[in-house]
Amino acid sequence: MDLRITCIPGDGIGPEIVAEAKKVLDAVAGRFGHAMHYTDILMGGASIDVHGVPLTKEAVDTAKSADAVLMGSIGGDTTTSPWYRLEPNLRPEAGLLAIRKELNLFANLRPAVLYDELTGACPLKEEISAKGFDMMIMRELTGGLYFGEKKTIEEDGVRKAVDTLVYDENEIRRIAVKGFDIAMKRRKKVTSVDKANVLASSRLWRSVVEEVAEQYPEVKLEHMLVDNCAMQLVKDPAQFDVILTENMFGDILSDEASMVTGSIGMLASASLNDTKFGLYEPSHGSAPDIAGKDIANPIATVLSAAMMLRYSFDLDREADAVENAVKEVLREGYRTVDIMSEGCTQVGCRQMGDLLAERITL
Ligand code: NAD
């Protein structure tokens, strides 16, 4: 298969971790008989330095012409970098918001996995972490409270602020379909999270999700109130497979789920539109404090590449091979500094990439 991938190395550790993800993808191509065609574009600070803007139209067009986009991370040190003295619409993050909008990415996927070898990093009690967990948070990204009408007014000398939470049934249906499709590739369980006891938008959410569920008889659907979900994530995270939720709830729950894994350098993510197209990137930032030192953990980016193989290219065996390589390397005791523990062998970013690439097997 010919895979056309636009890469955004970005800023900070971005170029280092994307280089290692490409190394692993090339190993997949070699073992499984595919051809990877990469085109790099500039975004964020790297684009500001060259073009004066965080994203050019040409870069967007290149991204749109690919089958998927693989990104490192963008942004610099927000207190010292000159990029943050620019107007907000010219700063690095504006490039990311613009590309998400241009590519119509409405579904955000964030896996939270606790690897057996890294249970020591999990902040939960041992009897909970011992059970492990492997969940996927599917968050609606373009609607809800963050995008509804907002205003701040003053009435009789009292300041008043209004945010509006709006969802229409089409927005809910398209994210629900994505959630159930992903569940079909996993353990076939969807937990739809809402606040249907108080919010009208949540009641519509619940009824549309139930309509979509009828098309997926193999998938078990359960509903959970968001406050209960926040508790269950720390009490019994093993119960979750796919968590399907709206924008603000997903924003908060996905960060909570990330924290319970305890290892930021391991967390992948994807943002999808209504085709197979997606933008894949680690959940962490550009880590300017460690850039250029060859100590960044490339695993989150490598696992994002695995998500790209699975969700944009339907190459499940290849994605499994990448995820198995990660487990294998951890089992053998290799660690980057962020996940280092006693008795393990510390390696740098490049060596971790080499080890992962060597362990890609059919
Ligand atoms: P960060 O995630 O970059 O770093 C937080 C801490 O985690 C740092 O100590 C860093 O060294 C460490 N870390 C992060 N990734 C690591 C990895 N792969 N291996 C080892 N250690 C790692 O968050 P921050 O410092 O708040 O943000 C830095 C910059 O990144 C900012 O400009 C911010 O706006 C940007 N950012 C970008 C994205 C994105 O591109 N999607 C997301 C978050 C933050």
Side-chain angles (χ1 to χ4, degrees):
M1 198 171 160
D2 277 318
L3 312 183
R4 290 170 308 133
I5 302 164
T6 292
C7 294
I8 306 176
D11 308 315
I13 59 170
E16 299 168 55
I17 54 183
V18 168
E20 300 317 308
K22 281 184 181 170
K23 201 184 269 177
V24 175
L25 284 172
D26 287 339
V28 169
R31 302 282 191 287
F32 289 83
H34 302 297
M36 303 283 172
H37 306 282
Y38 306 110
T39 312
D40 284 3
I41 60 172
L42 297 177
M43 196 171 94
S47 175
I48 295 171
D49 289 347
V50 176
H51 302 295
V53 289
L55 184 68
T56 61
K57 186 181 173 307
E58 292 69 35
V60 172
D61 290 343
T62 305
K64 282 183 178 168
S65 69
D67 300 315
V69 178
L70 179 67
M71 183 176 134
S73 189
I74 52 120
D77 185 318
T78 49
T79 48
T80 59
S81 165
W83 299 328
Y84 295 92
R85 291 197 286 275
L86 298 168
E87 289 298 309
N89 65 330
L90 290 177
R91 291 181 191 174
E93 287 69 18
L96 186 56
L97 294 179
I99 203 164
R100 283 185 178 148
K101 190 158 180 245
E102 287 284 346
L103 301 176
N104 193 25
L105 304 171
F106 66 85
N108 183 246
L109 270 179
R110 278 194 29 195
V113 181
L114 184 63
Y115 291 91
D116 290 346
E117 293 73 15
L118 300 181
T119 49
C122 175
L124 302 179
K125 280 190 194 155
E126 210 178 315
E127 67 250 37
I128 300 172
S129 62
K131 284 203 274 175
F133 54 83
D134 176 354
M135 72 184 94
M136 183 71 85
I137 305 212
M138 167 69 83
R139 163 190 171 195
E140 203 288 328
L141 210 52
T142 58
L145 202 57
Y146 298 171
F147 292 91
E149 194 194 336
K150 307 174 195 316
K151 59 181 176 188
T152 307
I153 50 174
E154 195 165 315
E155 275 177 359
D156 301 328
V158 177
R159 284 175 300 155
K160 186 171 165 182
V162 181
D163 293 291
T164 322
L165 201 179
V166 184
Y167 270 111
D168 72 39
E169 60 177 311
N170 296 328
E171 290 171 309
I172 301 171
R173 190 168 291 109
R174 67 180 185 175
I175 185 87
V177 166
K178 283 276 177 205
F180 280 86
D181 282 345
I182 301 282
M184 287 296 289
K185 282 180 174 270
R186 294 175 47 96
R187 301 194 305 279
K188 300 192 172 68
K189 180 180 172 191
V190 169
T191 304
S192 174
V193 174
D194 61 37
K195 189 72 181 167
N197 51 345
V198 284
L199 296 178
S201 56
S202 280
R203 285 191 282 276
L204 179 65
W205 179 277
R206 203 175 265 217
S207 83
V208 175
V209 168
E210 279 176 0
E211 285 164 25
V212 171
E214 285 171 17
Q215 312 303 314
Y216 296 85
E218 286 175 62
V219 178
K220 181 175 182 294
L221 169 67
E222 68 175 15
H223 299 285
M224 190 176 280
L225 295 176
V226 62
D227 38 355
N228 185 25
C229 184
M231 289 191 286
Q232 295 299 327
L233 277 173
V234 290
K235 192 168 162 242
D236 180 18
Q239 69 183 288
F240 294 113
D241 180 16
V242 174
I243 291 180
L244 170 66
T245 192
E246 59 96 76
N247 201 345
M248 184 178 66
F249 298 159
D251 189 6
I252 299 166
L253 294 176
S254 59
D255 269 10
E256 185 189 354
S258 307
M259 278 317 296
V260 296
T261 68
S263 34
I264 192 171
M266 302 286 299
L267 299 168
S269 89
S271 300
L272 311 175
N273 69 14
D274 52 5
T275 66
K276 287 277 173 193
F277 188 89
L279 183 148
Y280 299 84
E281 57 173 322
S283 294
H284 58 73
S286 59
D289 53 332
I290 58 166
K293 296 184 179 163
D294 190 31
I295 59 171
N297 186 348
I299 294 181
T301 316
V302 168
L303 289 172
S304 302
M307 291 180 80
M308 178 177 75
L309 294 171
R310 193 181 302 284
Y311 298 119
S312 281
F313 299 116
D314 276 323
L315 295 173
D316 288 349
R317 280 176 58 231
E318 288 80 344
D320 288 344
V322 175
E323 290 169 3
N324 289 336
V326 169
K327 287 181 193 149
E328 186 63 31
V329 163
L330 293 177
R331 211 171 6 249
E332 291 169 27
Y334 294 106
R335 303 280 189 274
T336 44
V337 64
D338 56 310
I339 51 172
M340 184 59 190
S341 59
E342 219 183 307
C344 293
T345 310
Q346 190 171 320
V347 295
C349 183
R350 283 197 292 272
Q351 195 185 346
M352 181 56 90
D354 289 340
L355 290 164
L356 292 168
E358 282 161 16
R359 279 151 189 77
I360 298 292
T361 51
L362 281 176

